[in-house]
Amino acid sequence: MVNKTSSKENNLQVIADKKQILLSKDLAKFLGTLGGGNLRVVKHENKIEIYSNVHSLSKVYIETTAQCNLACHTCIRRTWQEPMGTMKREVFDKLVEQLKEFDCLQTVMFGGFGEPTFHKDILYMIQQVKSLGIKAEMVTNGTLLDEEMLKGLFENGLDTLWVSFDGTNEECFEDIREGAKFNEVVKNLERLSLKNLSSNHKIKVGITFVVMKSNINQLKDLGALAKRVGADMISVSNVLPYSAEMVDQMVCKLKVGSSNRSYGSQGIPLNLPYIDKTEINQQLLYDLIKNYDKINVFRNGYEREIGSCRFIKDRCTFVKWDGTISPCMGLLHSYKTYFLDGVERKVASYSLGDIRKTHLKDIWNSEEYSNFRSKVDAFEFSPCLQCMHCELSETNEEDCYGNTFPTCGGCLWAQGVIQCP
């Protein structure tokens, strides 16, 4: 007997019999199993979770440039000792040709540690990506979204635009984002919103917000700002502490030598009925979130995910402006960062190849890259943020579990401290 179930929302189909599960082409592409591949299945009491094949490329981040037209106080480039280069068109064209070899590729994100719209060929780049029949996304500071740029984004088919706002009013925004004008960025997005109303093609807009002690009181105003500029997504991250002074601005309490779990919960899941969000209940809800790692509340799940690399699980790779390949945002460049108690950590970049010399598919399928993905997916690294400080945690060269470069236990992305679109 064969049973069919389908998802109306995504029009995906699963066919199951006694021996096997057959996936529709769309679902196989979504999970990264076109042409074969293994899926990890986790069994729960009354359901299973199926995780995609981490060895199938789904998303490519392209750093078009390491340069930027702003000098934000939160920017990691303030401590870099690297050249601020820009991707050449011939390097990009070579990359596009190589991307055609990936059957499960779904998205290209233009973003890195520079400003994509600062590249003179960004509209051409978007058009070339869309010619592959995949999604094109971009993260920007929003300052260069003039009428001509907006026209080009619509004409060339950009799907999603993330815009950085580290303040919801003029004073806070301009104090952090040196060189940007709050009202100009807002007007740029208001024009984009009007174009969305009149255009057949729609660009989905999101807001990214880096939270610190100096702007945390503005989190409550993000919803109003999103409505004003036509955004329907918001992503909030802690600031990446590139200096000891920046550590003092962090609102995250996770520190070396301490545990982020209460002794009472010990990771035990807590299932609650619907509870009204009222002033009377707010302290209770705060205490629950603080003391439990896994909660089902408001009919939604809340879980602190630590020791997990989103870039690996989402099947991403990163192309630096010079054509070199890195597995994640945290290893794209070399820099120094700080644990949340002020201990310095030097992070060395990790390159797995160069598309100018080796085809991306050969780099992706190489033994070194495949082993790295499997290793990070398992994430059996020493918990540098939870244990007492030692000299091994001062770099990502080696850890006390015997892992060698690059070690990821101290990565703030993997510990849920830093996130990006």
Side-chain angles (χ1 to χ4, degrees):
M1 181 177 180
V2 176
N3 299 313
K4 288 188 177 182
T5 60
S6 64
S7 165
K8 294 180 180 179
E9 181 179 354
N10 296 309
N11 195 28
L12 304 177
Q13 189 178 72
V14 176
I15 302 175
D17 62 21
K18 294 180 179 179
K19 296 182 179 180
Q20 62 184 342
I21 294 178
L22 303 177
L23 305 178
S24 68
K25 184 177 180 179
D26 287 343
L27 185 53
K29 181 176 181 179
F30 178 76
L31 293 174
T33 58
L34 277 180
N38 296 321
L39 300 176
R40 183 164 62 91
V41 178
V42 178
K43 182 181 178 182
H44 299 281
E45 183 177 353
N46 61 349
K47 65 178 181 179
I48 63 170
E49 288 182 321
I50 299 178
Y51 291 84
S52 57
N53 172 24
V54 298
H55 300 297
S56 175
L57 182 62
S58 175
K59 187 173 185 177
V60 176
Y61 284 77
I62 300 177
E63 184 181 63
T64 62
T65 179
Q67 297 176 332
C68 186
N69 60 321
L70 300 183
C72 301
H73 295 290
T74 57
C75 186
I76 195 171
R77 292 196 320 279
R78 285 175 173 258
T79 62
W80 270 359
Q81 302 297 321
E82 295 192 13
M84 301 292 183
T86 293
M87 183 174 285
K88 296 179 180 179
R89 182 181 280 216
E90 54 265 33
V91 174
F92 176 79
D93 286 342
K94 181 171 287 190
L95 172 61
V96 170
E97 283 300 310
Q98 295 177 16
L99 292 180
K100 294 177 181 179
E101 300 295 321
F102 293 91
D103 294 334
C104 295
L105 182 62
Q106 299 181 53
T107 307
V108 163
M109 166 68 88
F110 293 99
F113 288 110
E115 170 53 42
T117 61
F118 201 51
H119 196 295
K120 62 183 178 61
D121 292 329
I122 186 59
L123 295 179
Y124 167 81
M125 291 176 166
I126 293 170
Q127 186 274 327
Q128 290 297 103
V129 165
K130 291 301 297 180
S131 72
L132 300 177
I134 60 178
K135 293 181 181 178
E137 302 180 352
M138 184 168 68
V139 60
T140 176
N141 59 38
T143 59
L144 302 178
L145 300 178
D146 56 19
E147 192 65 37
E148 182 180 358
M149 177 64 71
L150 290 177
K151 181 175 181 290
L153 295 181
F154 276 92
E155 289 180 347
N156 290 288
L158 183 72
D159 295 289
T160 303
L161 183 70
W162 289 92
V163 184
S164 299
F165 275 94
D166 297 336
T168 59
N169 61 37
E170 185 176 4
E171 180 180 3
C172 182
F173 178 93
E174 294 179 8
D175 182 60
I176 296 171
R177 306 190 68 77
E178 185 176 326
K181 298 296 183 182
F182 176 79
N183 290 326
E184 289 181 5
V185 175
V186 169
K187 288 180 180 178
N188 290 342
L189 292 180
E190 288 175 338
R191 285 200 301 269
L192 189 156
S193 182
L194 289 175
K195 286 183 177 293
N196 263 334
L197 293 175
S198 59
S199 173
N200 291 328
H201 175 75
K202 311 296 181 185
I203 297 178
K204 193 173 184 179
V205 178
I207 287 176
T208 65
F209 188 93
V210 177
V211 66
M212 299 172 284
K213 290 178 181 176
S214 62
N215 66 1
I216 190 171
N217 64 326
Q218 302 205 353
L219 280 177
K220 64 182 185 300
D221 301 320
L222 274 178
L225 176 63
K227 289 182 179 179
R228 179 180 176 184
V229 301
D232 52 11
M233 304 178 291
I234 299 173
S235 176
V236 179
S237 173
N238 283 289
V239 66
L240 182 62
Y242 62 84
S243 67
E245 293 76 20
M246 196 59 69
V247 175
D248 294 333
Q249 275 291 316
M250 297 196 74
V251 298
C252 179
K253 297 298 183 182
L254 185 63
K255 294 182 179 180
V256 172
S258 67
S259 171
N260 202 33
R261 298 182 179 181
S262 71
Y263 289 104
S265 70
Q266 296 291 322
I268 297 172
L270 175 66
N271 294 305
L272 296 173
Y274 185 85
I275 298 176
D276 289 334
K277 291 179 283 188
T278 65
E279 291 185 9
I280 296 175
N281 294 335
Q282 65 181 357
Q283 185 60 46
L284 165 67
L285 297 173
Y286 168 76
D287 289 339
L288 291 174
I289 292 174
K290 181 177 69 173
N291 293 324
Y292 284 84
D293 293 328
K294 300 178 181 180
I295 303 175
N296 188 8
V297 64
F298 297 149
R299 299 174 183 158
N300 292 292
Y302 168 85
E303 181 174 350
R304 297 186 183 108
E305 185 177 18
I306 59 175
S308 176
C309 180
R310 169 229 148 175
F311 297 118
I312 294 297
K313 293 187 182 302
D314 288 354
R315 300 143 57 203
C316 303
T317 198
F318 284 70
V319 186
K320 190 178 171 182
W321 61 266
D322 61 1
T324 55
I325 301 298
S326 292
C328 65
M329 182 74 80
L331 295 172
L332 190 61
H333 293 276
S334 296
Y335 54 92
K336 64 179 179 179
T337 185
Y338 290 79
F339 284 126
L340 308 187
D341 60 353
V343 176
E344 184 177 300
R345 178 178 173 87
K346 294 180 180 178
V347 178
S349 63
Y350 178 45
S351 173
L352 288 142
D354 187 332
I355 64 165
R356 296 170 298 180
K357 303 174 183 177
T358 307
H359 197 292
L360 178 58
K361 194 164 188 178
D362 292 332
I363 297 172
W364 177 263
N365 291 330
S366 68
E367 183 178 0
E368 180 183 5
Y369 204 164
S370 180
N371 288 342
F372 178 82
R373 288 192 297 270
S374 296
K375 182 178 180 179
V376 176
D377 190 36
F379 213 88
E380 295 175 351
F381 298 99
S382 59
C384 295
L385 268 71
Q386 273 74 48
C387 70
M388 296 302 293
H389 169 65
C390 73
E391 63 179 12
L392 291 178
S393 66
E394 294 176 359
T395 70
N396 63 335
E397 300 288 340
E398 181 184 359
D399 69 18
C400 61
Y401 283 11
N403 294 301
T404 55
F405 176 78
T407 59
C408 301
C411 174
L412 297 184
W413 276 274
Q415 301 305 328
V417 178
I418 307 298
Q419 64 176 353
C420 51

